[in-house]
Amino acid sequence: MIVDVSKKILIVGLGLLGGSYARVLKRFGFHISAITKEQSSIDYAMEQNIIDEGSVRLDKKIIGEADLVIFALYPHVFVEWIEKNQGLLKSGAIITDVTGVKGSIVYKIQEILRSDCEFIAAHPMAGREVSGVENSTDTMFVGANYIVTPTEKNTQEAINTCMELGRLLGFTNVTTLAPKEHDEMIGFLSQLTHCIAITLMTCNDKENMERFTGDSFRDLTRIARINDVMWSELFVANKAALLEQMNLFIDKFNQLKTMLEEEDIDSMRKMMRHSTQRRALFDKK
């Protein structure tokens, strides 16, 4: 469906991700509309030709004409929107999202959504340490990963549409995972890394350290500039998987600590060599 540029696309939540989606999809000729909270976001997006139309209200015409609806909202806001407003969606509409957790969201949405619409979940593994549509870009997704998380309730057509959306947006790697597998993976690859960055940034408050730091500290703590509202919600929504990954990290860190205490250089070097080999697998090709 997505390759048919006569289809209308609605983005609910015109921030960094929603704006970046709009910028890319507009280039292909799709009619892009947006519903968001701030009038200034709509005004900016219209002035920059990022969208064709938009509103800060639940515009029945805009919502009712959309063939594909992309929700770029916090998880609990997304659920509330569907509970209260799904009656405004057109019959046959496909909806997707950008939410960073799936197990606590996907099944809940699919359970409450009317039968003549379909929700196929996705997670764009991309972002920046800024927010707002004014910081959106049409190159954010190049080289990044896009994960589609279908369930047994999804049709092949919706899965194909969502995967094609990822390819059109410019993601280099478009894959599928079950929601549970997604949350386990994200607990390690994304949420744990944010936990480490937060902890590293706050464990030593000695003054003026920024005057002496090198690139290694800056690189390791890049994601410590964090949206506390969003990430605290994501952590709690994926609590079990994240705690498991935190415990694995603590165990491994304690092993390294013991090696240092005992001056076990051979074991430290072995761990470092393993780290170097593993890191090479994550380099972008």
Side-chain angles (χ1 to χ4, degrees):
M1 184 190 83
I2 191 66
V3 294
D4 182 354
V5 295
S6 69
K7 300 295 185 179
K8 292 188 175 182
I9 298 176
L10 167 62
I11 296 172
V12 182
L14 194 65
L16 177 68
L17 279 175
S20 297
Y21 270 52
R23 285 181 186 272
V24 178
L25 295 173
K26 190 78 163 61
R27 288 201 324 245
F28 288 97
F30 291 102
H31 181 279
I32 307 296
S33 57
I35 301 287
T36 201
K37 289 195 306 181
E38 302 295 335
Q39 184 62 48
S40 58
S41 297
I42 296 295
D43 293 343
Y44 177 86
M46 291 292 292
E47 291 167 2
Q48 298 297 315
N49 197 34
I50 298 172
I51 62 174
D52 294 290
E53 58 181 333
S55 177
V56 295
R57 298 179 295 103
L58 292 172
D59 189 300
K60 294 181 179 180
K61 177 179 180 294
I62 290 177
I63 299 171
E65 290 180 349
D67 300 289
L68 175 69
V69 186
I70 300 165
F71 285 88
L73 303 173
Y74 290 173
H76 78 280
V77 180
F78 178 26
V79 174
E80 290 172 2
W81 199 103
I82 294 299
E83 287 176 332
K84 296 176 181 178
N85 306 309
Q86 62 172 293
L88 300 175
L89 298 168
K90 74 182 293 186
S91 180
I94 292 177
I95 70 175
T96 188
D97 68 334
V98 302
T99 310
V101 291
K102 296 305 179 192
S104 60
I105 297 297
V106 174
Y107 300 107
K108 186 177 297 184
I109 296 291
Q110 289 185 336
E111 180 180 348
I112 64 177
L113 186 64
R114 18 187 276 241
S115 60
D116 61 336
C117 298
E118 184 170 353
F119 172 48
I120 174 68
H123 185 187
M125 295 292 290
R128 302 173 65 195
E129 290 68 60
V130 290
S131 61
V133 65
E134 66 275 10
N135 290 305
S136 62
T137 169
D138 61 2
T139 60
M140 182 187 298
F141 310 125
V142 177
N145 297 321
Y146 180 85
I147 307 171
V148 180
T149 57
T151 74
E152 67 282 354
K153 288 190 175 183
N154 286 122
T155 63
Q156 192 60 51
E157 178 189 1
I159 296 170
N160 292 343
T161 294
C162 196
M163 295 186 75
E164 181 62 18
L165 173 64
R167 297 186 187 100
L168 286 177
L169 289 166
F171 287 94
T172 300
N173 190 36
V174 178
T175 56
T176 61
L177 277 177
K180 184 176 186 294
E181 293 176 311
H182 166 276
D183 289 354
E184 292 171 352
M185 194 74 68
I186 294 307
F188 175 66
L189 291 174
S190 178
Q191 295 179 339
L192 176 63
T193 57
H194 283 78
C195 290
I196 294 169
I198 294 165
T199 305
L200 185 57
M201 201 72 250
T202 58
C203 70
N204 188 334
D205 287 334
K206 187 173 181 179
E207 294 183 359
N208 300 317
M209 293 182 72
E210 66 276 5
R211 295 170 57 186
F212 311 107
T213 188
D215 288 341
S216 58
F217 187 83
R218 279 189 289 266
D219 289 347
L220 199 56
T221 58
R222 175 183 61 82
I223 55 176
R225 295 180 60 181
I226 194 166
N227 180 332
D228 58 290
V229 176
M230 180 181 74
W231 281 97
S232 59
E233 180 174 346
L234 293 175
F235 285 178
V236 172
N238 201 29
K239 177 181 175 180
L242 179 54
L243 284 174
E244 180 180 357
Q245 297 305 323
M246 292 175 80
N247 287 330
L248 289 173
F249 177 82
I250 291 168
D251 290 345
K252 186 60 69 173
F253 191 87
N254 283 332
Q255 288 178 27
L256 181 59
K257 180 172 176 282
T258 299
M259 294 173 196
L260 178 59
E261 290 171 341
E262 298 176 355
E263 298 186 15
D264 185 353
I265 293 175
D266 287 342
S267 295
M268 279 195 288
R269 290 186 62 188
K270 182 179 179 181
M271 186 175 176
M272 291 173 183
R273 289 194 298 271
H274 185 211
S275 169
T276 299
Q277 292 169 353
R278 288 283 298 159
R279 181 60 182 80
L281 300 176
F282 289 80
D283 290 334
K284 291 183 178 180
K285 306 301 181 183

